[in-house]
Amino acid sequence: IDIYRSARLATVYITSTAVRRDFFFQPVASQSLGSGFLINDAGFILTNHHVISGSSRIQVTLSDQTQYYARLLDSDRSDDLALIKINPKKKVEFLRLGDSDHLQVGQKVLAIGNPFGLEGTLTVGVVSSIGRKIDSESDQQLEGMIQTDAAINGGNSGGPLLDSNGSVIGINTAILGRTNIGIGFALPVRSEEHTSE
């Protein structure tokens, strides 16, 4: 409960708007929904690449319903990862990044996000497996994924997967099929020491 109370404040709701052409080549705006989380008090937010891909406008809603437009700082399609930024006008809560290198199957995990637009939803489960390979929405193969039975659905993408200390050990990314069947996947978060090797 305590982890949820603090982590929910740092988890955001992302609406990305993209303009595409219809059959008659007329511009049509389409929206995709997802999640993200603040990683510092300067307004830096981690999410999935597929949440903001092709967007002309990214809107971020904080837990108190304050809304900001975000700008894209960097995006990695191959790892389905993106970094965006807002300019907060007040103090914001943020999450600390953990290390997935020492995860064990059976370990308890918590997922927070906005499935189907239902903001601030908490689901709980365990690490079902580690080191999985899956195909992403952009037909890239994602390696080293964390498999969990914590319910993950559309709109959860980009949200944090937390350990029982409240540290982010993964970024909720994908499910098998159109709805949750107890098989969800998260991008692993690794320590700076591991990533610098």
Side-chain angles (χ1 to χ4, degrees), residues 65-129:
Q65 301 306 304
T66 306
Q67 295 184 332
Y68 295 93
Y69 287 113
R71 62 188 174 96
L72 177 63
L73 297 181
D74 201 2
S75 185
D76 184 348
R77 182 173 177 265
S78 62
D79 284 329
D80 201 2
L81 191 62
L83 180 66
I84 62 176
K85 185 182 186 305
I86 61 172
N87 294 316
K89 297 176 182 175
K90 58 185 177 182
K91 182 181 178 181
V92 292
E93 299 295 326
F94 59 92
L95 297 175
R96 68 181 183 276
L97 299 179
D99 187 356
S100 65
D101 286 348
H102 303 293
L103 281 182
Q104 307 221 7
V105 173
Q107 182 174 332
K108 185 176 182 179
V109 288
L110 303 88
I112 300 179
N114 306 290
F116 307 115
L118 300 171
E119 297 178 45
T121 297
L122 170 71
T123 57
V124 179
V126 297
V127 174
S128 302
S129 186

